[in-house]
Amino acid sequence: MRALSSALVSFGLAASFVLAPACDKPRSHVALDMGRLGTDLTARENEVMAGPKVTAAMNDLFTSLGSEPQLLAAGTKLFSRVEADPKIAMAGQTVIGQLTSSPIVQKVVMEIMAANPGASPDQIGEKVGARFQNITSSPAVQPAFQAAFGDLMASLHPQARFKTVLDQTTAKLDAYLSQPERVAHWSDRLRELNGGADPDPTKATQLYLDHAWSKDRVEAYLLKLFANPTFRKELASTFADLLDQPALQAELLTVASNVAGDKAEQQAAVDLMLLLVQEPIDSAQLSTKLHAALTAPVLTGGLDKVIKIVFEDPKIAAAVSVHFDKLMADPGIRKDFDDLIDHW
């Protein structure tokens, strides 16, 4: 989703470029402060994406993706290969062994057994797993996970590659944004908001941000997009096609194997699980351990290689392009985007 939200900022910036003065026009277009626009759009995007409504919608989106047949099949196929990796299997046994021998886990098991007399070992195991799941999904620990995931994203290096992908779509975006009627409409709207006169760049930028890219409008757009059936289907199909690519599969397996075989990451997994079966959770300790686990070089270095394949493999680019075109052809998605861009 980070790529999606960054794309929204890029759309906003692209829209603003065609509002710059054009001396070959009968009436010059309204100029904007590009430096400030980029900074403010990024900050606004971050705030909207972190808001409770968008966070809940995103969680619902990813939950629904898991039930899409094509993605479920591709994920199951990849997971089977991961399970069959000897290094990963050995690492799993090591982690489970440390957990089951831990006094902390043993204490939790005894508490659950006392509360559920007559329960079978399998039932006790299920209840321990349920306790772990309930704690990890609770509002008390979600901020730590979100912050740690943000740290992971910040430690990766996809920015230049993402810019390349955006540059490749510039022709389509320019054709959409630079239609004379659209450009004239934007400039006239800014003059209207300024009482009929041309606003200076500072005032024009503020008007444009407040009206075209207000937090309420961006939030409403994202909520509609995440709930759109075509968006969900094509996003699931895109992920499934990615997972089916041999080059990406091989790199993901390599990363998983290297991370699983790393002693520090094994210990980090044990420490995190021990924290997450205890209540109340030590939030500060959880944040520290999550940050360390998710920003470890063995993980970030591997993911950078995965990102490189995603952005540079021509077969992947072709697959993604097909799904992007399907999205843009959807009447609902197109209408919502037109509304976001034009009707402010």
Side-chain angles (χ1 to χ4, degrees):
M1 283 300 109
R2 207 64 192 163
L4 171 66
S5 56
S6 296
L8 285 175
V9 173
S10 300
F11 287 141
L13 288 172
S16 66
F17 275 117
V18 296
L19 288 172
C23 52
D24 59 335
K25 301 289 184 181
R27 188 179 185 188
S28 64
H29 297 308
V30 175
L32 301 176
D33 180 342
M34 298 306 300
R36 181 192 163 198
L37 184 66
T39 300
D40 284 14
L41 274 175
T42 300
R44 189 163 299 185
E45 166 243 338
N46 289 336
E47 185 176 351
V48 171
M49 292 297 292
K53 291 183 180 179
V54 173
T55 298
M58 236 182 338
N59 290 339
D60 178 65
L61 170 65
F62 281 109
T63 299
S64 71
L65 292 182
S67 62
E68 289 287 340
Q70 185 180 353
L71 180 56
L72 183 61
T76 300
K77 179 181 175 182
L78 179 61
F79 187 70
S80 296
R81 293 187 63 187
V82 170
E83 280 189 314
D85 184 281
K87 188 187 290 188
I88 294 174
M90 185 176 297
Q93 293 173 4
T94 299
V95 170
I96 291 173
Q98 291 188 49
L99 287 172
T100 55
S101 63
S102 165
I104 294 173
V105 172
Q106 291 174 359
K107 180 175 180 292
V108 170
V109 170
M110 294 300 293
E111 290 173 352
I112 292 177
M113 289 176 64
N116 298 273
S120 68
D122 286 345
Q123 289 172 327
I124 295 298
E126 290 175 1
K127 291 185 180 297
V128 172
R131 174 169 174 166
F132 175 80
Q133 179 64 37
N134 289 338
I135 293 175
T136 55
S137 60
S138 69
V141 303
Q142 279 301 299
F145 277 93
Q146 291 170 2
F149 186 74
D151 293 341
L152 169 62
M153 292 295 100
S155 68
L156 301 178
H157 304 88
Q159 292 89 345
R161 297 187 185 105
F162 183 57
K163 181 180 183 303
T164 299
V165 172
L166 286 179
D167 288 345
Q168 292 171 353
T169 67
T170 295
K172 291 181 180 179
L173 189 59
D174 281 350
Y176 171 85
L177 295 174
S178 61
Q179 295 172 11
E181 298 83 0
R182 172 168 281 121
V183 177
H185 166 70
W186 288 338
S187 292
D188 288 344
R189 176 60 175 150
L190 288 173
R191 293 186 184 99
E192 177 187 349
L193 292 170
N194 195 48
D198 278 2
D200 61 42
T202 299
K203 182 67 175 296
T205 302
Q206 189 64 54
L207 290 171
Y208 184 57
L209 284 166
D210 289 346
H211 292 269
W213 296 94
S214 69
K215 288 180 285 188
D216 287 345
R217 295 189 80 247
V218 174
E219 179 183 78
Y221 171 75
L222 288 173
L223 294 178
K224 287 183 180 179
L225 182 65
F226 292 164
N228 183 284
T230 300
F231 179 74
R232 294 188 176 208
K233 179 178 179 296
E234 292 304 325
L235 189 60
S237 296
T238 301
F239 288 153
D241 284 348
L242 290 177
L243 292 179
D244 277 338
Q245 298 297 324
L248 188 62
Q249 278 193 10
E251 194 60 52
L252 285 170
L253 285 169
T254 298
V255 173
S257 182
N258 289 341
V259 171
D262 186 85
K263 297 298 182 183
E265 288 292 85
Q266 289 178 17
Q267 189 59 53
V270 171
D271 292 345
L272 282 169
M273 291 183 191
L274 291 178
L275 268 178
L276 291 168
V277 295
Q278 302 178 74
E279 293 181 297
I281 296 292
D282 185 330
S283 299
Q285 193 175 9
L286 177 62
S287 295
T288 299
K289 291 186 178 297
L290 276 171
H291 173 85
L294 292 183
T295 58
V298 67
L299 177 60
T300 58
L303 290 179
D304 269 333
K305 293 177 181 178
V306 171
I307 291 168
K308 177 179 173 63
I309 292 174
V310 169
F311 283 112
E312 296 182 5
D313 189 295
K315 292 182 179 178
I316 291 176
V320 171
S321 178
V322 168
H323 294 295
F324 178 80
D325 289 343
K326 288 181 180 179
L327 287 176
M328 294 310 295
D330 179 79
I333 291 176
R334 189 58 181 259
K335 178 183 181 301
D336 290 340
F337 187 66
D338 284 345
D339 288 342
L340 175 70
I341 293 296
D342 289 330
H343 301 156
W344 46 274

